[in-house]
């Protein structure tokens, strides 16, 4: 029988790769099991070693551009995406993904994303750099919880700044597939939440910790201590986040 309240978690390939780094922390900390691949021609092909290697024995396992991990005890399924999208392939990817979500009867989808900090409007410069979005179907179920957490919903911005302030649109610069996936989920009746952080390119590890702690505030994937950041387990692959060190032979 299908478990009807599975939570499906995935990243958007967005500015600073913050969503993907946050997903890395979830998979590594919860020691999730790889259960399959998400086969698609919409992503740049990629193959590499096991990013979550814990010993010599499992370090040579191969990983590819889109893989699915599972943790039945928490009814959690995670998709990790490791390469960028091929140009003009956003829409076919979103359609394939959402039809899979519907057919596998995932109850809720949570998309971890990010947006360019420098493109915020005046209102978005105030307070926290974290925002959320809920599709109408999920708003009914958890909207009250977001109010309790005192979270800020992603603001809509003027479609024509300086000309008309009445036409407001959802604008997520640097967010990759975020806006398309969210609007498609709205029209298809899928319960989706987007959690995002405004950030800039650079060392985005701190942003990933902030985003995964934000997710944890709501879903309690790990027990919240005074300093939850210390409880997330950094995967072995992060040692190579900025490439290898300089070879001594250079000098």
């Amino acid at each position: 029988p299908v478990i009807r309240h599975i939570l499906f978690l995935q990243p958007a390939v967005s500015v600073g790769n913050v969503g993907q780094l946050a997903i890395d922390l979830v998979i590594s900390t919860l020691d999730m099991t790889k259960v399959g691949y998400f086969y698609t021609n919409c992503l740049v092909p990629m193959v590499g070693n096991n990013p979550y290697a814990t010993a010599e024995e499992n370090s040579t396992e191969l990983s590819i551009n889109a893989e699915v991990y599972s943790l039945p005890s928490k009814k959690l399924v995670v998709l990790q995406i490791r390469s960028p999208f091929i140009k003009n392939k956003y829409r076919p990817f979103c359609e394939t993904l959402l039809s899979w979500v519907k057919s596998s009867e995932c109850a809720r989808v949570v998309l971890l994303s990010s947006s360019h900090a420098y493109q915020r409007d005046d209102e978005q410069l105030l307070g926290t750099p974290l925002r959320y979005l809920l599709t109408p179907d999920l708003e009914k179920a958890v909207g009250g919880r977001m109010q309790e957490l005192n979270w800020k919903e992603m603001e809509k911005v003027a479609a024509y700044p300086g000309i008309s302030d009445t036409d407001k649109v959802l604008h997520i610069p640097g967010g990759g597939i975020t806006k398309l996936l969210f609007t498609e989920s709205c029209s298809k009746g899928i319960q989706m939440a987007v959690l995002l952080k405004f950030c800039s390119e650079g060392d985005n590890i701190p942003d990933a910790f902030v985003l995964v702690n934000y997710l944890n505030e709501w879903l309690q994937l790990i027990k919240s201590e005074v300093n939850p950041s210390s409880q997330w387990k950094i995967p072995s692959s992060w040692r190579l986040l900025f490439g290898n060190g300089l070879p001594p032979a250079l000098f």
Side-chain angles (χ1 to χ4, degrees):
V2 175
I3 301 171
R4 292 185 190 279
H5 22 272
I6 282 181
L7 174 73
F8 178 65
L9 185 61
Q10 71 158 98
V13 182
S14 51
V15 55
N17 306 102
V18 178
Q20 293 153 287
L21 291 170
I23 293 284
D24 262 356
L25 288 169
V26 171
I27 294 169
S28 181
T29 305
L30 299 178
D31 197 17
M32 296 182 76
T33 308
K34 183 169 21 172
V35 290
Y37 305 99
F38 190 79
Y39 182 73
T40 173
N41 63 357
C42 302
L43 294 164
V44 173
M46 182 228 97
V47 67
N49 282 10
N50 178 7
Y52 311 116
T54 49
E56 199 72 30
E57 298 80 70
N58 65 4
S59 64
T60 52
E61 290 170 13
L62 293 182
S63 65
I64 63 164
N65 55 9
E67 296 185 321
V68 181
Y69 295 78
S70 161
L71 185 63
S73 64
K74 288 193 185 287
K75 294 182 178 157
L76 180 66
V77 172
V78 172
L79 169 68
Q80 177 60 303
I81 300 173
R82 298 199 178 90
S83 70
F85 283 87
I86 291 167
K87 201 175 176 188
N88 302 328
K89 290 282 193 176
Y90 276 12
R91 192 166 286 281
F93 178 83
C94 289
E95 283 167 4
T96 308
L97 180 75
L98 292 178
S99 69
W100 178 61
V101 164
K102 280 225 145 180
S103 65
S104 54
E105 299 197 38
C106 295
R108 288 176 185 168
V109 182
V110 177
L111 179 69
L112 299 183
S113 183
S114 50
S115 183
H116 283 302
Y118 73 88
Q119 286 193 267
R120 287 174 290 178
D121 69 3
D122 292 352
E123 195 183 354
Q124 291 170 339
L125 287 166
L126 301 170
T128 173
L130 294 158
R131 293 291 185 278
Y132 77 92
L133 283 165
L134 300 175
T135 59
D137 287 75
L138 189 54
E139 176 75 53
K140 290 182 199 128
V142 302
R145 178 73 184 121
M146 302 317 192
Q147 307 294 319
E148 283 169 31
L149 289 168
N150 209 12
W151 280 13
K152 274 183 98 163
E153 194 171 357
M154 183 70 171
E155 301 87 349
K156 290 191 170 177
V157 297
Y160 310 104
I163 300 167
S164 160
D165 290 335
T166 49
D167 293 335
K168 298 270 188 171
V169 291
L170 185 61
H171 186 49
I172 308 174
I177 60 169
T178 308
K179 183 177 171 180
L180 180 61
L181 207 52
F182 180 73
T183 51
E184 287 293 305
S185 296
C186 287
S187 61
K188 287 180 165 55
I190 289 169
Q191 294 198 9
M192 175 184 275
V194 175
L195 308 190
L196 69 82
K197 183 179 188 297
F198 294 118
C199 67
S200 307
E201 292 278 3
D203 177 359
N204 295 100
I205 289 174
D207 298 308
F209 276 107
V210 171
L211 187 61
V212 81
N213 285 335
Y214 186 53
L215 171 76
N216 197 57
E217 257 185 78
W218 172 30
L219 295 177
Q220 301 290 305
L221 296 175
I222 61 170
K223 286 192 170 60
S224 289
E225 303 284 326
V226 181
N227 178 16
S229 291
S230 62
Q231 294 176 274
W232 298 105
K233 184 181 161 201
I234 292 176
S236 52
S237 53
W238 282 21
R239 290 198 308 266
L240 303 172
L241 214 53
F242 298 102
N244 295 341
L246 292 173
L250 273 179
F251 309 103

